[in-house]
Amino acid sequence: MSHLKPTVMKFGGTSVQDATAFARVAQIVTGERANSPIVVTSAMSKVTDALLSAFEAAKKGDHEAGFASLAPHFERHTAVARELVGEDRQKAFADELAFSKTDLRDLLMRVSRRSLPLSMLKDAIVSYGEQLSSRLLAEVCRAAGLNARQIDSRRLIVTDDEYGAATPIWEETEKQIQDELGSLIEAGEIPILGGFIAASRSGETTTLGRGGSDYSAALVGAALNSKEIQIWTDVTGVLTTDPRIVPEARTLPVLSYEEAAELAYFGAKVLHPKTIQPAVDYAIPVRVCNSHQPEERGTMVLAESGETPNKIKSLAYKKGITILRVTSARMLGSYGFMSALFQIFERHRTVIDVISTSEVSLALTIDNTDSLEQVVKDLERLGRVRIETENAVICVVGEGLRTTPGLAAKIFSTIEDINISLVSHGASSVNLTFVVKQDRAAEAIKRLHDAFFTVECSNNKAA
Ligand code: ADP
Ligand code: ASP
Ligand code: MG
């Protein structure tokens, strides 16, 4: 393994949306040249969505229309090459693009004919977003004078064959990354990888789930014991809440791994939920920063963050949540009930997010309802089941939250007229999670942000 400690730099879709953005990335990577950078890129913005729509069109039998709908996105790649890459290398990229187009057309046709499993074809199709963006970024970086080289991530990240949300097989992935990238960085080369994409042991293309490029970066960072994993995005770090709901949300200078993991899990899109674990395992700092304002430091995610005066650091939310309530006299004083219940969810591969129990009843939330019908059918053998749809989980996060008297009371009194249908507090020391109807979620977030950040902040200033 290389003795160098590289810096892993991941650029999201909006950080590579057009030629200006690509040029900015090349400049940011140039600034890190002395720190053995490894670059992980997402697809250009909107490309993954476009590939998925093309897949859906092909599924309905219209593969030609699906393919035609991709034309403007191919053109966006060509425009970047035209602007930032020399003529001979433009030709090389054009050849690559032509090859990709042929392959995509063929894959879309196979979808309409169902000649291979659809989930497998879907990953093969959607992987072209990152295959093309990484190839293009390597060309742009080379044109900017960097010793950059695209490496196919499918040779590095080895997964199971759960298409669409594959799980990496760590020992093999770690070895592949070390073997393939170690000598390159020793030689002063800058590897450019597509995030999100991987391959199963049998070599089929898989993907790590939407937003999974962050996770790719964390895996590479962990395998190479990197100095830092940088997540370059379109906002300056992790903010006090989602800026689309509260535009005045502020950057948090420091977060702990635990806080960041809870926020990501409960919907803060800025980090993919699986990103933090590899960083925790190898104690690698994660920095979330803004490619549009590279001089700003952003947020550092570290082992410890300390408490802030009001204990709360950030508010996350996730919509589309279903509550299941199970009532059963069998629960009373018996053991084995929970185990039977969890087995049902395991059997139907459905993740439980929040759970709360009383003597004879239990409420829990799920966000994936693909197997709802089967889950409910099995649960009905244990007791009476009620289903409540269209909820949102709101997660209040901060070190010291569990041990601060009066905080929960203040949170709930701030939104006292909004009905709270489930609460989970105390399982983690850094979060308080509750469920409201989803059409009240934005209002709840705004009011909590106002109470804990805007008002507290002006009080602090006045003091
Ligand atoms: P990228 O394409 O760079 O991966 P994403 O769109 O996945 O970027 O994530 C960044 C977006 O996450 C921001 O533009 C913002 O709208 C959203 N977001 C939600 N919650 C937060 C939060 N607490 N802090 C920062 N951004 C957040
Ligand atoms: N391009 C993929 C997506 O849009 C992965 C990523 O951007 O992280 O989900
Ligand atoms: Mg993202």
Side-chain angles (χ1 to χ4, degrees), residues 15 41 51-52 74 98 101 179 186 206 231 234 280 298 341 349 357 375 382 399 407 415 422 437 448:
S15 300
T41 182
L51 289 162
L52 285 171
F74 295 138
K101 282 184 190 172
D179 289 354
E186 287 285 344
T206 55
I231 304 292
D234 62 348
V280 174
L341 180 112
R349 304 170 79 84
T357 71
V375 167
L382 298 181
E399 292 294 340
L407 202 57
I415 50 169
L422 209 156
K437 276 306 212 192
L448 289 169

Side-chain angles (χ1 to χ4, degrees), residues 318-325 345 350-355 363-373 375-376 379 385-393 421-422 435-438:
K318 194 156 75 166
K319 288 188 177 176
I321 299 294
T322 300
I323 303 177
L324 297 178
R325 293 185 194 275
F345 286 87
T350 299
V351 177
I352 300 171
D353 284 341
V354 184
I355 186 159
L364 54 84
T365 70
I366 57 174
D367 74 346
N368 180 350
T369 51
D370 290 352
S371 307
L372 183 63
E373 221 174 288
V375 167
V376 170
L379 284 176
V385 183
R386 267 192 302 145
I387 308 169
E388 295 165 23
T389 57
E390 297 182 2
N391 293 285
V393 182
S421 42
L422 209 156
V435 180
V436 300
K437 276 306 212 192
Q438 71 183 18

Side-chain angles (χ1 to χ4, degrees), residues 10-13 42-44 48-49 129-130 195-196 209-214:
K10 177 263 170 175
F11 294 90
S42 287
M44 289 177 76
T48 305
D49 288 340
E130 271 74 6
F196 178 58
R210 291 305 305 267
S213 297
D214 301 339

